[in-house]
C-alpha cells in the first residue's frame, strides 16, 4: 500500500521522520515543494533515507525542484516530478489545481494524517546524525567498499582540536576586550557657597511706577499696623520697716603702719549681707611693735546699728542679732579689705522684725517699664498674626521685616490709680495700650531672587547641590532707609552647597568623564581608585567591575560608566 505525505517548505527532517514513522503503509510518497529545507543539504536526505529504511519503509520523493531531484538521485532514492498513486495518473504539473505549492501542502492531506502529539520521545537532529553516522560506519565495516554505499570521510581529529583551541582563544580575547565593564561611583567634592544681593523694599502705595518696571532687585512692601492692649497685675516689692534695728559694738582692726580714718555711717557687712553702720567718725590707730619685737595691730571699739534691710532688700529685724563674726568694709577695695576690718566679739541685741508692703514710686516706674516691654513683644506677635491672616485670605506669603528699628511703637494709653503711690497694697494693676507699625514684604519673591542669583555664581564645573538651598539660611541687614520715598535698602545673603558635576548628563560632567576615562583605561582598579581620589573634583570613589574577577579597568571607553555615589 502507498501513502502520500505533503511536507512544508520549512519543515525539519525530525518532523518529517515522525510523520512517516506513524503511517501504516510501507511505501511512502513524500511530496516536497521547491526550495524546501530538506534539499539544502545532501546530508539531510541521507539521514532521512537511513532512518526511514530502518523502520522498514520505502521512501519515494516527488518534487518539481530540479536540484532536489538531483540530490535524491545521488543517494539512490526514487524520484518523480508528479504524483502517481493507486495507478491513477496525476494531472499535469501545469494544472494549477495539482501544482505543488508549499503554503497549501497541509490542506492536501487527510485530516487524520496531520501531525499529532506523540507520547514517544521526539528524536533531535543531533540524534539522527549520530544514528546515521553509526549505521554508516557499521555498513562500511560489514560490506567493505561498495559502489552503492555512501563513504563518510572522518575529519582529522588534530585539526579539529587545533580549530577548537583557536576558536576558544579568539572568543576569550574578544570577551576580555569587549565584554568586561566597570562602574565608577564618585562622591563629588563640595563646598559652602554664599551670595549677597542688594535689594530695595519699596512701599507699594508710594512706588507704583517703580514697581511697574519689574526691576529684578526691587520687591514690593507694605506697612502693617496693629493696636495691642494689656492689663497687668504687679506684686508690690517695696517694704516699710516697722520693727527695731539690732545694736552692739565692734572692734576695728588696722594692720597697716598708718592711721585709718573712717567717717560716720561707714558700713560693716557680714557674710550674709547684713549691714551695720558706725554712728560716729573714728580714727583707727596704726599697728606697732612691742618690747619683744612683735607686731601689734591697731584697734578701736565703736558702736554700730544694723540697717533695716540687707543688701538683698530683705527686712533685717531680729536677723541682726548676730553673734561673734568678722565684718568687711564693702566700700573699700578687695585689697584694703584685707588690711582693715571689723570684729564682733559679743552678740548684737534689740533687733525686732516687722514691716509692711507699700507701693512706692520705684514700683510704679518698674511696672510701667515692664508693661511697655511686654506690649512691644506682644505687638510683634500681633503683627505676625495679622500678616498670617492676610496671607490666608489673599494666598500670599508676606513676612515681617524682623528689625527692631523698623518696628515702631507708640504708647497710646497708660492707666494707674491716682492714689496708688504710698498705699499699703500687696498688688496693684496697670493698663496700657500701644500702636505698632511694621514693614511686610513678599518672601517668595525674595527667596526666588536669591536662589536664581546664587546659581549664577557657581563655578563652571560645579552645580548647586540638590536641597542645599532653603529659606532658613537667608539673613539680611538694613543698610539704608528713605522715609520720604518709602524705600528700605537691605543686603540679603543666602547660603548653599556647590558640588562638582561628575555624571556625563551635563556638559561639565561630560568633560570630566572624558578626561577621567581616558586617563584610567586599562589601569588596575586599586591604581585607578588612587588616581581618582587625588582629583580635585572627587571626595570619595568606589569602582565595581563586571565580571567581579576583573581586576583592571576595561580598554573600551563605552564599557565604563560614571555615576554619582549616593549618600
Amino acid at each position: 500500500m502507498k501513502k502520500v505525505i505533503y511536507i512544508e517548505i520549512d519543515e525539519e527532517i525530525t518532523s518529517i521522520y515522525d510523520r512517516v514513522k506513524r503511517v501504516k503503509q510501507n511505501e511512502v510518497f513524500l511530496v516536497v515543494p521547491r526550495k524546501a529545507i530538506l534539499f539544502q543539504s545532501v546530508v539531510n536526505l541521507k539521514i532521512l533515507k537511513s532512518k526511514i529504511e530502518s523502520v522498514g519503509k520505502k521512501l519515494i520523493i516527488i518534487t518539481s525542484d530540479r536540484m532536489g531531484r538531483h540530490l535524491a538521485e545521488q543517494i539512490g532514492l526514487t524520484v518523480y516530478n508528479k504524483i502517481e498513486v493507486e495507478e491513477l495518473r496525476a494531472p499535469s504539473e501545469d494544472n494549477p489545481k495539482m501544482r505543488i505549492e508549499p503554503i497549501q501542502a497541509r490542506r492536501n492531506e487527510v485530516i487524520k494524517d496531520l501531525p499529532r502529539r506523540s507520547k514517544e520521545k521526539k528524536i533531535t537532529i543531533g540524534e539522527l546524525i549520530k544514528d546515521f553516522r553509526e549505521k554508516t560506519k557499521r555498513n562500511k565495516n560489514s560490506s567493505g567498499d561498495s559502489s552503492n554505499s555512501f563513504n563518510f570521510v572522518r575529519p582529522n581529529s588534530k585539526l579539529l582540536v587545533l580549530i577548537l583551541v583557536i576558536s576558544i582563544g579568539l572568543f576569550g580575547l574578544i570577551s576580555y576586550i569587549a565584554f568586561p565593564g566597570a562602574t565608577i561611583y564618585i562622591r563629588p567634592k563640595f563646598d559652602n557657597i554664599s551670595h549677597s544681593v542688594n535689594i530695595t523694599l519699596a512701599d507699594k502705595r508710594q512706588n507704583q511706577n517703580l514697581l511697574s518696571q519689574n526691576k529684578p532687585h526691587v520687591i514690593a512692601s507694605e506697612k502693617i499696623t496693629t493696636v495691642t492692649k494689656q492689663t497687668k497685675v504687679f506684686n508690690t516689692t517695696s517694704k516699710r520697716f516697722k520693727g527695731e534695728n539690732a545694736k552692739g559694738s565692734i572692734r576695728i582692726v588696722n594692720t597697716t603702719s598708718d592711721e585709718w580714718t573712717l567717717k560716720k555711717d561707714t558700713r560693716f557687712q557680714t557674710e550674709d549681707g547684713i549691714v551695720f553702720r558706725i554712728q560716729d567718725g573714728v580714727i583707727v590707730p596704726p599697728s606697732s611693735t612691742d618690747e619683744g619685737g612683735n607686731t601689734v595691730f591697731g584697734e578701736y571699739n565703736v558702736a554700730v546699728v544694723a540697717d533695716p534691710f540687707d543688701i538683698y532688700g530683705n527686712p533685717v529685724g531680729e536677723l541682726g542679732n548676730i553673734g561673734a563674726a568678722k565684718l568687711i568694709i564693702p566700700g573699700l577695695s578687695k585689697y584694703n579689705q584685707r588690711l582693715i576690718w571689723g570684729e564682733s566679739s559679743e552678740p548684737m541685741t534689740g533687733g525686732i522684725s516687722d514691716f509692711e508692703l507699700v507701693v512706692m514710686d520705684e514700683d510704679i516706674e518698674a511696672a510701667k517699664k515692664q508693661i511697655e516691654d511686654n506690649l512691644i513683644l506682644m505687638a510683634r506677635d500681633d503683627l505676625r498674626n495679622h500678616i498670617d491672616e492676610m496671607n490666608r485670605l489673599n494666598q500670599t506669603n508676606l513676612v515681617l521685616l524682623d528689625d527692631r528699628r523698623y518696628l515702631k511703637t507708640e504708647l497710646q494709653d497708660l492707666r494707674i490709680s491716682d492714689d496708688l503711690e504710698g498705699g499699703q497694697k500687696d498688688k496693684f494693676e496697670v493698663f496700657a495700650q500701644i500702636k505698632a507699625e511694621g514693614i511686610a514684604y513678599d518672601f517668595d519673591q525674595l527667596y526666588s531672587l536669591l536662589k536664581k542669583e546664587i546659581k549664577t555664581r557657581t563655578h563652571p564645573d560645579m552645580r548647586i547641590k540638590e536641597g542645599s538651598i532653603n529659606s532658613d539660611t537667608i539673613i539680611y541687614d538694613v543698610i539704608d532707609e528713605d522715609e520720604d520715598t518709602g524705600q528700605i535698602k537691605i543686603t540679603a545673603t543666602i547660603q548653599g552647597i556647590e558640588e562638582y558635576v561628575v555624571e556625563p548628563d551635563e556638559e561639565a560632567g561630560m568633560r570630566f568623564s572624558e578626561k577621567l576615562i581616558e586617563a584610567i583605561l586599562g589601569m588596575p582598579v586599586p591604581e585607578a581608585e588612587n588616581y581618582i581620589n587625588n582629583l580635585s573634583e572627587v571626595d570619595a570613589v568606589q569602582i565595581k567591575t563586571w565580571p567581579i574577577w576583573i581586576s583592571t579597568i576595561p580598554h573600551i571607553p563605552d564599557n565604563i560608566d560614571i555615576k554619582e555615589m549616593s549618600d
Side-chain angles (χ1 to χ4, degrees), residues 249-265:
S249 63
I250 61 172
R251 181 176 70 256
I252 302 174
V253 179
N254 180 13
T255 63
T256 67
S257 58
D258 299 318
E259 294 180 343
W260 202 299
T261 302
L262 299 175
K263 63 182 182 178
K264 180 184 177 181
D265 293 330

Side-chain angles (χ1 to χ4, degrees), residues 258-445:
D258 299 318
E259 294 180 343
W260 202 299
T261 302
L262 299 175
K263 63 182 182 178
K264 180 184 177 181
D265 293 330
T266 296
R267 294 172 298 158
F268 285 81
Q269 179 182 313
T270 67
E271 289 183 355
D272 297 330
I274 299 175
V275 175
F276 292 87
R277 297 179 185 266
I278 62 176
Q279 302 302 300
D280 299 301
V282 298
I283 298 175
V284 184
S287 62
S288 60
T289 304
D290 60 12
E291 295 178 355
N294 298 317
T295 299
V296 178
F297 296 148
E299 296 182 355
Y300 195 96
N301 293 321
V302 62
V304 293
V305 178
D307 280 358
F309 300 94
D310 62 16
I311 61 175
Y312 307 110
N314 299 315
V316 175
E318 62 184 17
L319 296 177
N321 300 329
I322 63 172
K326 181 178 180 180
L327 298 87
I328 64 170
I329 303 176
L332 298 180
S333 66
K334 294 291 183 181
Y335 175 77
N336 287 334
Q337 287 175 9
R338 293 194 294 270
L339 301 178
I340 185 170
W341 62 84
E343 294 179 353
S344 64
S345 55
E346 297 180 358
M348 303 291 180
T349 59
I352 300 175
S353 296
D354 190 12
F355 66 92
E356 61 183 2
L357 295 175
V358 180
V359 179
M360 305 297 290
D361 180 63
E362 54 265 29
D363 294 320
I364 296 173
E365 292 301 319
K368 289 180 180 179
K369 179 71 169 59
Q370 185 176 347
I371 196 170
E372 189 171 357
D373 290 343
N374 286 346
L375 283 173
I376 291 174
L377 295 175
M378 292 172 61
R380 182 182 282 107
D381 292 336
D382 288 347
L383 284 170
R384 290 196 178 101
N385 292 335
H386 182 67
I387 291 171
D388 290 342
E389 183 64 19
M390 291 175 60
N391 290 332
R392 187 182 66 81
L393 294 175
N394 302 325
Q395 299 298 312
T396 56
N397 190 21
L398 298 175
V399 295
L400 183 68
L401 181 64
D402 197 8
D403 190 309
R404 187 159 186 171
R405 291 174 293 175
Y406 300 97
L407 177 63
K408 299 177 181 179
T409 59
E410 177 186 349
L411 183 63
Q412 293 183 320
D413 194 3
L414 179 65
R415 297 180 218 167
I416 57 174
S417 300
D418 294 335
D419 59 347
L420 185 61
E421 186 175 354
Q424 298 179 12
K425 296 184 178 182
D426 296 342
K427 301 176 184 295
F428 62 95
E429 189 176 88
V430 179
F431 169 81
Q433 174 180 304
I434 66 170
K435 174 184 176 183
E437 182 181 277
I439 306 296
Y441 62 91
D442 189 336
F443 183 78
D444 287 344
Q445 189 176 356

